[in-house]
């Protein structure tokens, strides 16, 4: 819609609004990452922020938003003479997840550069966002090559476009704001650290507040302009307060005690590097200016820590973000506030509250009962829920593995008696598992693939717009035609059909589907803990290699899809942690369920190649609903997967002095290797698993000896 939703009309979300306003007061804070479930006004609040930013003075006609007082000497549209300029509203530029590299950094006309020697440059989104906001919705789904470009621009404050010796540079200093749903995957640590602040948002559980959200949204959709007009007074007050805080910011004093509080807090929470200290200092200063003070107090440092540190203290993607507030208070109490030097209490702007409540407005002068705010009782604390209730008493140790043909009760056949879930062992660095051949899937770090980035392996005629010129191939194609084209000077006469696109080879992300045995034969607590630790380690490896993951489990009489393929390894780790065990072993049903999942995913995303990881001891004691001989069903199911060309690896969980070798026989039917739990470690002496052999080139015609 052309009329944005008013910022002051957003109900609740106190931390989100504060973090955005602090960045409006001091862009040096470094932006904000908003994490939370869908439908929590993340995008609405971010898009509304641009209307509160002061106008920007720019050089008239400059496509790169140079400041008239100090224009960029290297501006591609320059040089500019210093002098008066024109004012325009601050921009908020949105970067689509599927944007191309040229759309982000700009496009250089290679044909004109080679033929005419001119820099014909079309600015990209980084140029548009200079001195404004660059907003990335679903930032966790952004492709790696775009993340690399964002990291470079954020670190250097400039964007560089270089193609075959022709380069263009322009300033690119922007406020980076991202929103994401953690269920869809996590961010790379390097990009996560580039966000100054982070906020966790959730929908209120307070009925009155939810009613107010619906009421305001419906009123806005019925009449956007009228709704915005009713909130224009509140918008003006907050905009004026932002301007006043910006003017006060240079006068704010960051005393030695405040600096000691910041340094002790960062050291106490063991955050990496010094960026956290700098961001906390800038945030605390902005908080003081927002409150109308010129001295940073302990309360400012505390609030700055809650916004700037949670995402910097995570050691792996399975760590929940957040800070121990009791520990934070203990650290800060060691350093009392400095005397404010008889500073008078700040007086609020006329007609405004000292802390304006955006929930107040024309539609609701008193504001709703903010049950979702930090002091309300509507939102349960993080981590709350049934899982935080008193845990049940631990059951007795599961019995040792029963013989394969031992009879079981009907309750065991159906899946119970169910053993309580055990915790996973400590994760470790795993060996490299990859899919053989050359794929064309999404960018990642696991298997070889044709990609837009990587080492150059050849050249071809461009399909559509030229993005990566192969200079030698282009010159080779144009050289035989120079006389016929009437070349007289030193430069080559280049035609469009001479241009050649470079073909490159890099790495892709795969779909890693885990098929985990949760039957009674795996129920020994120490054994299942080791199995979960191994799967958790593989999940961590999948996160680092930008894979999608899925989880199929089997126990009792059936297999189930515990987690549909997703980019969120957090969700997979949570399902694994709660996985119960017990009952018989329908291994064949688990493989058939995996085959069905892969068939559906092949239709949804045909370019993403799968890697099947079967975690089992190889026993098969139930055929489930299919019926028949469990071992024959298992062998037949494995051969079907091999015939489909699915790359597989079996993690052999068999333990004890007597081993039946069933997992190895299963691996042979699948056409892949078997690796033990100990052999899965990257530092083991068993050697590196580089490729998972499949039946793509060698059809599966295994004759397998099986233990009776």
């Amino acid at each position: 819609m052309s009329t944005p939703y008013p910022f002051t009309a957003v109900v609740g979300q106190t931390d989100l609004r504060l973090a955005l306003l602090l960045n409006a007061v001091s862009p040096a804070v470094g932006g904000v990452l908003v994490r939370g479930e869908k439908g929590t006004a993340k995008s609405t609040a971010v898009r509304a922020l641009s209307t509160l930013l002061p106008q920007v003075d720019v050089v008239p006609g400059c496509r790169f938003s140079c400041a008239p007082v100090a224009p960029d000497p290297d501006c591609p549209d320059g040089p500019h003479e210093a002098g008066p300029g024109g004012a325009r509203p601050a921009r908020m530029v949105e970067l689509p997840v599927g944007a191309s590299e040229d759309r982000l950094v700009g496009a250089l006309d290679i044909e004109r550069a080679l033929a005419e020697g001119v820099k014909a440059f079309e600015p990209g989104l980084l140029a548009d966002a200079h001195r404004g906001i660059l907003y990335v919705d679903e930032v966790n789904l952004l492709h790696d090559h775009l993340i690399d470009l964002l990291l470079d621009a954020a670190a250097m404050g400039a964007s560089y476009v270089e193609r075959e010796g022709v380069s263009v540079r322009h300033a690119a200093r922007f406020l980076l704001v991202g929103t994401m749903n953690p269920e869809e995957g996590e961010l790379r640590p390097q990009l996560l650290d580039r966000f100054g602040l982070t906020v966790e948002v959730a929908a209120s559980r307070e009925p009155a507040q939810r009613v107010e959200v619906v009421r305001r949204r419906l009123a806005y959709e019925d009449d956007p302009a009228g709704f915005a007009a009713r909130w224009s007074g509140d918008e003006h007050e907050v905009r004026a307060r932002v301007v006043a805080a910006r003017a006060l910011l240079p006068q704010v004093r960051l005393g030695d005690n405040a600096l000691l509080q910041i340094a002790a807090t960062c050291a106490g929470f063991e955050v990496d590097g010094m960026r956290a200290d700098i961001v906390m200092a800038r945030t605390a200063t902005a908080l003081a200016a927002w409150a109308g003070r010129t001295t940073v107090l302990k309360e400012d440092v505390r609030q700055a820590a809650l916004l700037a540190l949670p995402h910097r203290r995570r050691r792996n993607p399975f760590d929940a973000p957040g800070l121990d507030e009791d520990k934070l208070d203990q650290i800060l109490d060691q350093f009392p506030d400095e005397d404010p030097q008889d500073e008078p209490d700040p007086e609020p702007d006329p007609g405004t509250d000292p802390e304006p409540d955006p929930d107040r407005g024309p539609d609701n002068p008193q504001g709703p009962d903010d049950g979702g705010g930090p002091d309300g009782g509507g939102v349960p604390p993080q981590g709350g829920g049934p899982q935080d209730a008193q845990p049940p008493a631990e059951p007795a140790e599961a019995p040792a593995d029963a013989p394969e043909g031992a009879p079981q009760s009907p309750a065991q056949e159906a899946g119970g008696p169910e053993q309580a879930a055990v915790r996973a062992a400590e994760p470790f660095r795993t060996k490299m598992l990859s899919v053989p051949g050359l794929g064309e899937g999404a960018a990642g770090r696991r298997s070889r693939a044709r990609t837009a980035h990587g080492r150059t392996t050849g050249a071809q005629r461009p399909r559509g717009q030229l993005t990566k010129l192969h200079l030698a191939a282009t010159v080779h194609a144009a050289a035989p035609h120079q006389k016929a084209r009437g070349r007289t000077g030193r430069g080559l006469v280049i035609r469009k059909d001479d241009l050649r696109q470079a073909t490159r080879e890099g790495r892709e992300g795969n779909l890693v589907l885990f098929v985990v045995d949760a039957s009674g034969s795996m129920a020994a607590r120490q054994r299942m803990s080791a199995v979960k630790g191994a799967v958790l380690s593989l999940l961590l490896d999948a996160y680092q290699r930008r894979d999608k993951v899925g989880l199929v489990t089997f126990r009792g009489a059936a297999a189930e899809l515990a987690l549909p393929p997703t980019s969120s390894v957090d969700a997979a780790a949570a399902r694994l942690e709660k996985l119960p065990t017990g009952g018989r072993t329908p291994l064949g049903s688990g493989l058939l369920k995996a085959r069905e999942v892969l068939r559906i995913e092949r239709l949804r995303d045909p370019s993403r190649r799968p890697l099947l990881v079967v975690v089992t001891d190889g026993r098969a004691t139930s055929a489930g609903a299919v019926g028949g001989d469990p071992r024959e069903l298992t062998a037949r199911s494995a051969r079907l997967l091999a015939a489909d060309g699915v790359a597989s690896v079996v993690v052999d969980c068999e333990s004890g002095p007597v081993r039946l070798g069933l997992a190895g026989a299963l691996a042979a039917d699948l056409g892949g290797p078997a690796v033990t739990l100990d052999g899965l470690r990257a530092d083991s002496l068993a050697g590196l698993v580089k490729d998972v052999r499949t039946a793509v080139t060698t059809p599966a015609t295994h004759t397998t000896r099986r233990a009776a």
Side-chain angles (χ1 to χ4, degrees):
M1 298 181 181
S2 57
T3 304
Y5 191 91
F7 185 85
T8 51
V10 175
V11 179
Q13 307 298 9
T14 307
D15 288 344
L16 169 59
R17 292 177 294 162
L18 177 62
L20 292 172
L21 288 170
L22 291 177
N23 277 277
V25 171
S26 176
V29 167
V32 59
L33 173 65
V34 187
R35 296 164 42 94
E37 59 195 29
K38 50 189 177 292
T40 49
K42 301 187 298 290
S43 300
T44 299
V46 172
R47 292 188 175 101
L49 176 67
S50 60
T51 62
L52 302 180
L53 298 180
Q55 290 194 326
V56 178
D57 292 328
V58 297
V59 174
C62 178
R63 298 175 297 167
F64 301 89
S65 302
C66 283
V69 178
D72 182 3
D74 298 323
C75 176
D77 284 355
H80 303 299
E81 295 292 335
R88 63 159 176 80
R91 291 175 181 158
M92 192 195 71
V93 178
E94 292 197 41
L95 171 60
V97 170
S100 66
E101 178 181 336
D102 286 347
R103 185 70 188 99
L104 177 62
V105 301
L108 196 64
D109 192 329
I110 301 297
E111 186 175 359
R112 289 190 61 191
L114 287 176
E116 304 174 27
V118 298
K119 296 179 181 179
F121 181 69
E122 183 66 29
L125 296 177
L126 290 180
D128 293 341
H130 179 48
R131 304 177 67 199
I133 302 173
L134 181 63
Y135 171 48
V136 189
D137 193 13
E138 306 294 351
V139 63
N140 51 324
L141 303 182
L142 203 62
H143 288 293
D144 274 0
H145 68 283
L146 297 182
I147 290 178
D148 293 338
L149 295 171
L150 273 182
L151 288 172
D152 289 342
M156 298 183 292
S159 175
Y160 292 84
V161 182
E162 301 196 17
R163 299 280 176 84
E164 279 71 35
V166 181
S167 63
V168 173
R169 173 215 170 271
H170 64 83
R173 291 182 294 275
F174 47 83
L175 186 63
L176 182 61
V177 180
T179 54
M180 60 174 283
N181 183 348
E183 294 178 356
E184 297 172 340
E186 285 291 344
L187 277 180
R188 281 172 52 183
Q190 296 90 338
L191 182 59
L192 189 64
D193 190 51
R194 281 294 170 185
F195 287 98
L197 311 178
T198 187
V199 177
E200 297 281 333
V201 297
S204 171
R205 300 299 184 261
E206 176 61 38
Q209 193 172 37
R210 296 174 75 96
V211 167
E212 187 63 22
V213 171
V214 175
R215 181 182 293 121
R216 293 186 188 184
R217 187 68 199 185
L218 293 178
Y220 170 71
E221 292 176 353
D222 288 342
D223 183 10
F227 184 82
R230 292 197 296 275
W231 286 88
S232 60
D234 295 61
E235 293 282 287
H236 175 74
E237 291 175 3
V238 175
R239 190 180 300 111
R241 189 173 174 187
V242 170
V243 173
R246 277 196 174 191
L248 183 63
L249 189 64
Q251 305 171 37
V252 176
R253 185 173 64 90
L254 188 65
D256 290 342
N257 269 24
L259 285 171
L260 282 172
Q261 291 169 353
I262 291 170
T265 301
C266 293
F269 284 101
E270 300 180 350
V271 296
D272 295 330
M274 294 298 298
R275 184 173 286 120
D277 303 64
I278 297 171
V279 170
M280 273 191 64
R282 290 170 174 166
T283 305
T285 304
L287 280 162
W290 178 247
R293 288 185 270 100
T294 58
T295 301
V296 173
L297 303 180
K298 182 168 66 177
E299 63 194 63
D300 301 322
V301 176
R302 187 182 192 279
Q303 183 64 56
L306 293 175
L307 292 172
L309 295 189
H311 61 299
R312 291 188 165 87
R313 60 172 296 274
R314 303 182 74 184
R315 290 295 178 263
N316 65 62
F318 310 129
D319 292 339
L323 289 183
D324 183 342
E325 295 193 31
D326 291 336
K327 179 179 178 180
L328 174 61
D329 290 333
Q330 290 175 5
I331 294 173
L332 295 179
D333 288 343
Q334 301 174 24
F335 306 93
D337 278 332
E338 298 183 66
D339 293 334
Q341 299 182 349
D342 300 326
E343 180 179 319
D345 292 334
E347 294 188 6
D349 296 335
T352 65
D353 295 331
E355 294 290 340
D357 181 7
D359 291 338
R360 294 177 55 192
D363 297 335
N364 189 16
Q366 298 301 320
D369 179 15
D370 190 0
D375 299 323
V379 179
Q382 223 177 19
Q387 66 271 23
D388 289 328
Q390 185 69 23
E394 290 195 1
E397 285 288 318
D401 294 347
E404 189 174 335
Q408 299 195 27
S409 68
Q412 290 174 315
E413 174 71 28
E418 191 174 278
Q419 302 289 332
V422 299
R423 296 188 63 85
E426 191 69 21
F428 51 85
R429 190 166 63 90
T430 65
K431 291 178 178 178
M432 174 66 172
L433 304 175
S434 63
V435 180
L438 196 63
E440 294 182 346
R445 295 189 179 89
R446 184 172 296 279
S447 305
R448 294 174 54 223
R450 298 183 185 91
T451 59
H453 301 270
R455 62 186 181 89
T456 301
T457 58
Q460 64 182 15
R461 291 182 181 273
R463 302 172 183 174
Q465 185 180 7
L466 178 71
T467 56
K468 295 289 183 181
L469 179 75
H470 194 295
L471 183 59
T474 299
V475 172
H476 187 270
H481 308 291
Q482 296 304 298
K483 185 175 180 181
R485 293 173 183 174
R487 171 186 167 188
T488 57
R490 297 179 60 185
L492 286 174
V493 180
I494 301 291
R495 301 275 174 84
K496 187 172 183 177
D497 56 357
D498 297 329
L499 300 178
R500 295 294 183 269
Q501 174 88 18
T503 58
R504 299 179 180 238
E505 182 179 311
R507 292 280 173 177
E508 67 176 0
N510 298 111
L511 166 59
V512 182
L513 182 62
F514 294 93
V515 181
V516 180
D517 186 346
S519 65
S521 66
M522 307 284 287
R525 299 186 67 81
Q526 185 176 4
R527 184 180 182 187
M528 195 61 196
S529 176
V531 169
K532 286 188 176 182
V535 178
L536 196 65
S537 303
L538 290 168
L539 282 172
L540 182 58
D541 181 68
Y543 162 75
Q544 294 168 341
R545 300 190 188 281
R546 315 300 287 175
D547 295 319
K548 289 180 70 175
V549 296
L551 178 63
V552 171
T553 64
F554 57 92
R555 56 181 290 271
E560 67 170 337
L561 179 59
L563 181 71
T566 175
S567 296
S568 175
V569 294
D570 274 355
R575 300 289 174 88
L576 178 72
E577 191 69 23
K578 300 175 183 178
L579 180 65
T581 57
R584 304 192 71 179
T585 312
L587 177 54
S589 298
L591 297 177
L592 289 177
K593 172 63 75 172
R595 185 171 184 249
E596 177 65 14
V597 172
L598 294 178
R599 184 187 67 81
I600 295 173
E601 283 301 307
R602 194 176 297 116
L603 296 175
R604 291 175 177 170
D605 190 358
S607 64
R608 189 181 288 269
R609 297 187 295 164
L611 174 62
L612 186 68
V613 179
V614 185
V615 184
T616 181
D617 57 7
R619 293 172 182 263
T621 61
S622 171
V626 180
D629 185 347
R631 291 172 294 183
E632 180 57 33
L633 175 63
T634 299
R636 189 166 65 250
S637 302
R639 288 194 287 267
L640 285 173
L641 284 163
D644 290 341
V646 176
S648 306
V649 61
V650 176
V651 180
D652 184 359
C653 304
E654 191 174 26
S655 60
V658 178
R659 296 175 180 265
L660 302 178
L662 299 177
L666 173 64
D669 283 333
L670 286 168
V675 57
T676 63
L677 288 175
D678 290 337
L680 192 62
R681 295 177 179 271
D683 54 358
S684 70
L685 300 178
L688 190 65
V689 179
K690 291 186 176 179
D691 286 322
V692 182
R693 301 301 177 191
T694 69
V696 176
T697 55
T698 305
T701 55
H702 306 292
T703 302
T704 306
R705 290 187 305 167
R706 294 185 171 275

